[in-house]
Amino acid sequence: MTVAFRRTFASLRKHRNYRLFFSGQVVSLVGTWMQNIALAWYVVELTHSPVAVGFLAFCRFAPFTVFGLISGVVADRFDNRRLVMLTQSSSMVVAVALTALAFSGAEIVWLAYALAAASGTALVFDAPGRHALTFQMVGRDELPNAIALNASLFNGARVIGPAAAGVIIAVFGVGVCFAINAVSFLAVLTSLWLMRDDELVKLDRPKEHPSVLQSVREGLAYARQSPRVRLVLAMTTVVSTVGFNFHVLVPVLASETLDAGPRTFGILSACFGGGALTGALLTAGLGRASWKALVAGVGGFSLALLALAPLHTVLACAILLFVVGVCFTMWTANSQSLLQLSAPDHLRGRVLSLYLFAFAGLAPLGGLLSGWLSAVGGTQLAFFVAGGTGLVMTLAAVRELYGARHGRALTTA
């Protein structure tokens, strides 16, 4: 076993609880991605409207806007493992409801939107608890490695799930994808149930907590006072809102720009996932958080979107989406690691919720913007705006990181 291999998979080798969690997520996340693809295709087939797909994204991410800051308070107050079990169970119920809707034959778009919102609500409370649980499973030393492995798992599922969904939708319809996802949650729930509490890192949390509003203020004050946190959150807010709307743009790219069907949609989504998986494994091999990798990831992501904008062939789009995926994971995995390592135990959930709010809190507006840009100027205009905005933020970050005022503190973190 080579040194590089051992370093890449260090968290899996050393921690039983993390191995269980990872194994359960292998199954569950494939189902999740199948549902994401199927739901987007369900809406685009019923409406044939980029704006409708944008509104689906609005419904999925609106809960991050409404509950994003509160979810961090919940993660800092309750047992993270039990919290994740509750949120995963809620997501399973939503998948069952989508299955019933699809097999009923009723073309009720508003109900699909409502279930998308319910799924987003479960996710907004799941995400900070799940990320904080990762810290408890592996500890500080292996945290960057585990975050990168989580990203590799997530994006490996992004390869398999969309590709499988494209075939299943074409042959059996969207309902089978929803049903498979509902069953897949049993794997992650079993893995959480089998974990050993005594092997989880104990957190230094106060026994008594201030009000919810005061807790939110504490998290915001910490972010304001930390240059590192401010920079990551600012970049994430702008680039994610304007640039990362693939749940809107890729189905429109496949159906409208390339005039293709669900198989091509699945292939394009899988190519992005393959790139993201590659980026995650590269990051896991580094084993540490890096500002240089973060900036390189954002810059490469933005340039690849600009290059993607004028393309009209499946092969070229697939190659560029692969590159976008590599850079995307370099950016997000390093962002999460830097934030978690800088945050104290009693604030980690709130810092993560701020990151998730930055990543998805304005996504409803971003989804509508991407849908509108696609309706006005096609995916060419939407990708151009996304890439240009990301490049501006990259240059601003380079100036901040290596400028005279904060450069030394940030680049040595």
Side-chain angles (χ1 to χ4, degrees):
M1 186 181 295
T2 66
V3 174
F5 183 88
R6 290 174 62 85
R7 186 170 61 241
T8 299
F9 298 98
S11 297
L12 286 171
R13 289 189 299 103
K14 295 180 181 180
H15 302 283
R16 173 186 176 274
N17 283 342
Y18 184 69
R19 286 196 299 273
L20 284 170
F21 177 77
F22 192 93
S23 300
Q25 290 279 42
V26 164
V27 178
S28 182
L29 285 174
V30 171
T32 296
W33 274 108
M34 291 178 69
Q35 177 169 297
N36 290 343
I37 295 299
L39 187 54
W41 197 256
Y42 178 78
V43 171
V44 80
E45 284 290 279
L46 288 182
T47 64
H48 302 283
S49 168
V51 175
V53 182
F55 188 70
L56 175 66
F58 180 93
C59 294
R60 287 178 60 189
F61 291 103
F64 281 89
T65 306
V66 178
F67 302 114
L69 300 181
I70 298 174
S71 68
V73 176
V74 173
D76 281 335
R77 295 190 180 194
F78 294 97
D79 181 271
N80 293 127
R81 183 168 73 101
R82 294 180 181 179
L83 174 62
V84 175
M85 291 181 76
L86 176 61
T87 56
Q88 293 288 304
S89 298
S90 301
S91 295
M92 182 170 65
V93 172
V94 173
V96 171
L98 282 169
T99 303
L101 173 62
F103 281 118
S104 72
E107 298 181 350
I108 309 175
V109 178
W110 69 262
L111 184 54
Y113 291 149
L115 291 172
S119 177
T121 301
L123 181 59
V124 72
F125 286 98
D126 177 84
R130 180 163 33 85
H131 287 304
L133 180 61
T134 299
F135 179 88
Q136 287 189 268
M137 287 187 286
V138 303
R140 179 173 293 274
D141 291 343
E142 269 82 50
L143 181 64
N145 174 261
I147 288 175
L149 286 177
N150 286 347
S152 70
L153 176 59
F154 183 81
N155 290 297
R158 193 197 292 262
V159 176
I160 299 170
V167 175
I168 290 172
I169 292 170
V171 178
F172 301 107
V174 296
V176 173
C177 293
F178 298 146
I180 291 172
N181 184 45
V183 174
S184 73
F185 281 105
L186 295 175
V188 70
L189 288 170
T190 300
S191 72
L192 290 164
W193 182 71
L194 291 173
M195 285 185 184
R196 295 171 182 165
D197 282 335
D198 59 350
E199 294 180 8
L200 295 174
V201 173
K202 304 303 178 185
L203 300 178
D204 182 16
R205 290 176 171 176
K207 294 182 179 180
E208 296 185 2
H209 302 278
S211 67
V212 172
L213 182 59
Q214 183 60 35
S215 295
V216 171
R217 288 174 177 170
E218 285 181 356
L220 291 171
Y222 175 79
R224 284 196 304 268
Q225 295 164 9
S226 171
R228 292 177 293 182
V229 174
R230 282 205 314 269
L231 178 60
V232 172
L233 294 180
M235 293 177 66
T236 303
T237 299
V238 176
V239 179
S240 296
T241 301
V242 182
F244 190 67
N245 289 298
F246 288 177
H247 44 275
V248 177
L249 294 180
V250 175
V252 177
L253 176 68
S255 63
E256 303 296 332
T257 305
L258 301 177
D259 193 23
R263 286 188 177 87
T264 298
F265 177 32
I267 290 170
L268 292 176
S269 298
C271 286
F272 174 84
L277 172 61
T278 302
L281 292 175
L282 291 172
T283 304
L286 290 175
R288 61 184 179 84
S290 166
W291 282 102
K292 290 182 179 179
L294 187 156
V295 173
V298 176
F301 175 82
S302 304
L303 289 172
L305 289 181
L306 286 173
L308 180 62
L311 300 180
H312 285 82
T313 62
V314 174
L315 178 60
C317 289
I319 292 172
L320 262 296
L321 283 171
F322 182 89
V323 175
V324 169
V326 172
C327 298
F328 169 77
T329 310
M330 290 177 60
W331 156 39
T332 55
N334 281 281
S335 295
Q336 291 179 42
S337 294
L338 289 166
L339 288 177
Q340 287 215 56
L341 290 173
S342 68
D345 287 349
H346 70 286
L347 287 172
R348 184 168 291 109
R350 275 166 282 181
V351 171
L352 286 167
S353 72
L354 287 172
Y355 170 77
L356 293 165
F357 183 83
F359 189 80
L362 296 178
L365 296 178
L368 292 176
L369 173 64
S370 292
W372 178 75
L373 288 172
S374 297
V376 172
T379 55
Q380 299 93 328
L381 176 62
F383 281 127
F384 179 80
V385 171
T389 303
L391 193 58
V392 169
M393 288 305 299
T394 303
L395 296 175
V398 170
R399 179 180 179 182
E400 180 74 10
L401 280 168
Y402 301 106
R405 185 176 180 183
H406 296 303
R408 180 175 300 175
L410 289 171
T411 54
T412 57

